[in-house]
Amino acid sequence: MTKAKSIGVETDRAGRAGSLPLCIYGYYSSLGFSASTPEMREYLTSVSGAESGVAASPLPLQFLCIDRISQHREGNKNVVCEREATMPDSIRNNKEGVITTAAAAVHDDTEKMDFDHVEEAKAAGIDPSVIMKSPFEDLNFMKTLKTFRKSSALALLAAFSAAADGYQIAMTGSIIANKGFIKTYGTAYNAKGALILDANILAAWGGVQSAGQGLGMLSMHFIADRFGRKVAFYGLWLALVLGVACESFGRTWQVWLVAKLASGYGVGSVQFLTGTYITEIVPSRTRGFLLIFYSIWYSIGQLFASAALKILADKQPFNYLDLIYTEWAMLGIMLIIYIYIPESPWWCANHEHHDRGRAIIKRLNGGIEGYNVEYHYDIIQKTVEHEKQMKIEAYGPDEGMWKRITDIREIFIGSNGMRTLIAFFPAAVQQISGLAILSNYASYFAQVAGFADPFVFSLLLALVGILITLLIALFTDFIGRRVIFLGGVSVTWLMLIIVGGMGLVPNKSQSLNKLVLFFALVWRMASTCVGTLGWSYVAETGSGRLRAITAGVSAAGGVCVGVLFSTTVPYMLNANYANWGLKTCFFFAGISAPMCIASFFIMPDISKRTPAELDEMFEKKIKPWRFRSYVTDAQRALQAEKERTGQTDAAALQDMAVRR
């Protein structure tokens, strides 16, 4: 670690913790200077800042502690002589001697301090190489939510985009039944001569929307990783604007096709990127709770769309444009939110925009009493540096954009491959467990239950979904993701067997029909558990460096499975083809059984774990069923510090870690 030819190091004028209290050494007696020399004092004051102060002692050999200097690291470009240009001529003329002597002293002292730091850490029972866990991560759920209320509020704002997502999906999926919409876009006629929407056009709309959704998931992560999360949010917003514009002003099915493509792209991007962003700005203790609010907003958006459709159908059956125009209000709110929320500090750390990253952490959490911005950003930075080093060891350094694109393969290899599988698995299990049957049979279940108006049944399903999602949000961090997910998978599979068995009964009584409805509702609740937690796994499982691409690719995989069954299930149910009816459940029970069993061996509990802890557990190949009980090195280090000092206060423990 050579500091030769360097008299200055980039300083932290605010004295932020996380930096070493080093000194700039002036051997000015050998050059005829003292601290009281005006030129020397002026220069030192310009380096340190007038507020730091410099002792004006004429001692022949003096250590001038003018500021808290950022810790030196091998390869850190912050070690520069950026103050050289401001040197007075009397110092600059002799700068070689000053620089050489001062550099040697800084080098020797840094080595000594690094050695002392290591020895002190070892004496405290802490491995110096361990990426520490913030003491604030040990706060209980309610205290964490209260302490980090600002970042939590920003996460909830970001999650609001899911309402637009749910509104868009529900509206465009159901508006095809509107009489005015059929009058505008209808191109075919039924046997009675009534104008209808052509089946091939409907299929094209559905296929293009799914394709756009998958395309957004597979491409938007490049923008999010290269230019930042906020730029990606603006990009998906523009896609949604294009889609709504085509819906508002288009009057041919081809224009609506473009609208489906654009809206699908925006919705697909929103679905994976929002969770990724929330994961990167909130503490791990409340991360699961806040992530699930995405699903709550999504369900609320769908509920509003259904209500709007119902109102228009009753009062203005040929009016569909007013419903589309309401989307502009949603887009306006989204834009305000995207402008207001900050960039992700993890993205800043990945791209070495460290000053901006610290400023974002300060904006998010700087108002918390005792919270040290530098210390917490340093945890993010060290985690990212560790992940980059692991990548370099495996694949070599980045060599341009093309190399970074081809290195996408790493999300399918080793521990990162396991992470991608885990992120993809919930969506795949939900689709293979008969989600398409629930969607296609909603009207049938409404008829069985005796609902004269299908909207009332749809409202019931939506309210049940919101209630279950709220319960998951409240308990996911207490019970754990794995327990709830495996419970949902098991109940879903059991409902497939039960509902399929009822399909074997030739003449169903009214009481049996009511029982079918009950089990269908249980099925819906269990499937909601699986799907809701699926988006949490998508957002949380990837490493800090690969989080966006892991989320995008795994979400796209789930969409592909969904497209497969949304196009094949109608043939299983149609009376002119297989005509399996409810017996279709047996088919899904059969193909989902291996995946349901595999869930017990694949899905871990990642609740309340920091990114560094997840890195450690995946690198050490901890068994998924042992994730919740496993004690990480960071946990041991924090516990050792508590036992050594007798402290339990988060701020006090943080300050002790900073001083060490």
Side-chain angles (χ1 to χ4, degrees), residues 329-340:
M330 304 285 285
L331 290 175
I333 296 173
M334 285 178 67
L335 180 60
I336 294 171
I337 291 172
Y338 288 161
I339 292 173
Y340 180 71

Side-chain angles (χ1 to χ4, degrees), residues 10 12 14 33 67 100 102 144 210 218 256-257 259 273 303 308 319 375 423 435 445 453 460 466 481 489 509 595 648:
E10 185 179 354
D12 180 348
F33 296 108
D67 210 335
T100 304
T144 301
S210 296
L218 289 174
W256 191 264
L257 190 70
L273 189 59
L303 184 61
N319 181 2
Y375 171 76
L435 181 62
F445 292 134
D453 190 344
L460 175 63
I466 293 173
R481 316 276 198 276
V489 167
S509 64
M595 294 192 71
T648 56

Side-chain angles (χ1 to χ4, degrees), residues 180-201:
F181 185 87
I182 295 173
K183 182 179 179 181
T184 302
Y185 291 98
T187 57
Y189 296 88
N190 60 16
K192 297 180 180 180
L195 184 66
I196 61 172
L197 297 172
D198 187 271
N200 292 325
I201 293 177

Side-chain angles (χ1 to χ4, degrees), residues 348-361:
C348 293
N350 267 299
H351 291 267
E352 300 183 359
H353 300 313
H354 300 311
D355 289 340
R356 185 183 180 189
R358 293 185 186 96
I360 291 169
I361 293 291

Side-chain angles (χ1 to χ4, degrees), residues 47-375:
V47 175
S48 62
E51 71 279 6
S52 299
V54 180
S57 170
L59 293 176
L61 180 61
Q62 165 118 12
F63 293 148
L64 297 178
C65 187
I66 63 172
D67 210 335
R68 296 176 65 86
I69 311 303
S70 300
Q71 182 177 356
H72 302 0
R73 290 191 182 91
E74 193 70 38
N76 192 332
K77 303 304 181 185
N78 289 337
V79 180
V80 296
C81 190
E82 61 179 355
R83 307 288 188 180
E84 181 179 322
T86 66
M87 286 183 182
D89 292 339
S90 56
I91 297 178
R92 187 183 295 111
N93 294 337
N94 292 288
K95 67 175 183 173
E96 192 67 26
V98 175
I99 292 172
T100 304
T101 312
V106 174
H107 172 74
D108 293 340
D109 190 76
T110 304
E111 293 291 352
K112 182 178 183 299
M113 286 189 168
D114 287 346
F115 179 77
D116 291 342
H117 163 71
V118 172
E119 291 303 309
E120 184 182 349
K122 288 182 177 178
I126 301 171
D127 182 355
S129 65
V130 171
I131 299 174
M132 293 298 293
K133 180 177 182 178
S134 168
F136 285 88
E137 296 283 1
D138 266 8
L139 299 176
N140 62 44
F141 176 82
M142 289 307 299
K143 193 168 184 179
T144 301
L145 203 59
K146 182 179 179 181
T147 302
F148 293 89
R149 54 186 174 272
K150 186 172 183 179
S151 60
S152 299
L154 288 172
L156 292 177
L157 279 177
F160 175 80
S161 58
D165 177 9
Y167 192 88
Q168 173 79 9
I169 292 292
M171 189 276 294
T172 57
S174 301
I175 202 172
I176 58 175
N178 181 279
K179 294 179 180 178
F181 185 87
I182 295 173
K183 182 179 179 181
T184 302
Y185 291 98
T187 57
Y189 296 88
N190 60 16
K192 297 180 180 180
L195 184 66
I196 61 172
L197 297 172
D198 187 271
N200 292 325
I201 293 177
L202 286 173
W205 285 346
V208 165
Q209 185 173 39
S210 296
Q213 192 176 358
L215 183 62
M217 292 172 174
L218 289 174
S219 62
M220 187 57 74
H221 63 81
F222 287 113
I223 298 174
D225 280 336
R226 180 67 180 85
F227 301 104
R229 311 306 192 227
K230 279 180 70 77
V231 172
F233 279 136
Y234 293 141
L236 68 87
W237 182 83
L238 288 175
L240 290 173
V241 167
L242 175 60
V244 175
C246 290
E247 293 168 2
S248 300
F249 306 114
R251 296 295 182 269
T252 64
W253 70 267
Q254 292 92 342
V255 176
W256 191 264
L257 190 70
V258 176
K260 284 281 192 176
L261 179 63
S263 63
Y265 187 90
V267 166
S269 301
V270 167
Q271 287 176 328
F272 87 88
L273 189 59
T274 305
T276 299
Y277 177 79
I278 292 173
T279 298
E280 295 178 338
I281 67 169
V282 299
S284 60
R285 177 69 69 170
T286 55
R287 187 178 61 218
F289 171 76
L290 294 168
L291 278 172
I292 289 172
F293 262 86
Y294 177 90
S295 298
I296 294 173
W297 278 120
Y298 183 91
S299 299
I300 292 173
Q302 288 190 313
L303 184 61
F304 284 168
S306 299
L309 282 164
K310 172 64 176 174
I311 292 171
L312 280 179
D314 290 344
K315 296 184 176 181
Q316 302 179 50
F318 286 91
N319 181 2
Y320 72 94
L321 286 174
D322 284 355
L323 183 62
I324 293 175
Y325 295 153
T326 59
E327 291 185 89
W328 289 107
M330 304 285 285
L331 290 175
I333 296 173
M334 285 178 67
L335 180 60
I336 294 171
I337 291 172
Y338 288 161
I339 292 173
Y340 180 71
I341 60 176
E343 181 55 79
S344 162
W346 283 85
W347 180 83
C348 293
N350 267 299
H351 291 267
E352 300 183 359
H353 300 313
H354 300 311
D355 289 340
R356 185 183 180 189
R358 293 185 186 96
I360 291 169
I361 293 291
K362 185 175 182 179
R363 178 183 170 187
L364 291 171
N365 306 320
I368 298 172
E369 184 178 356
Y371 186 92
N372 191 295
V373 171
E374 184 75 22
Y375 171 76

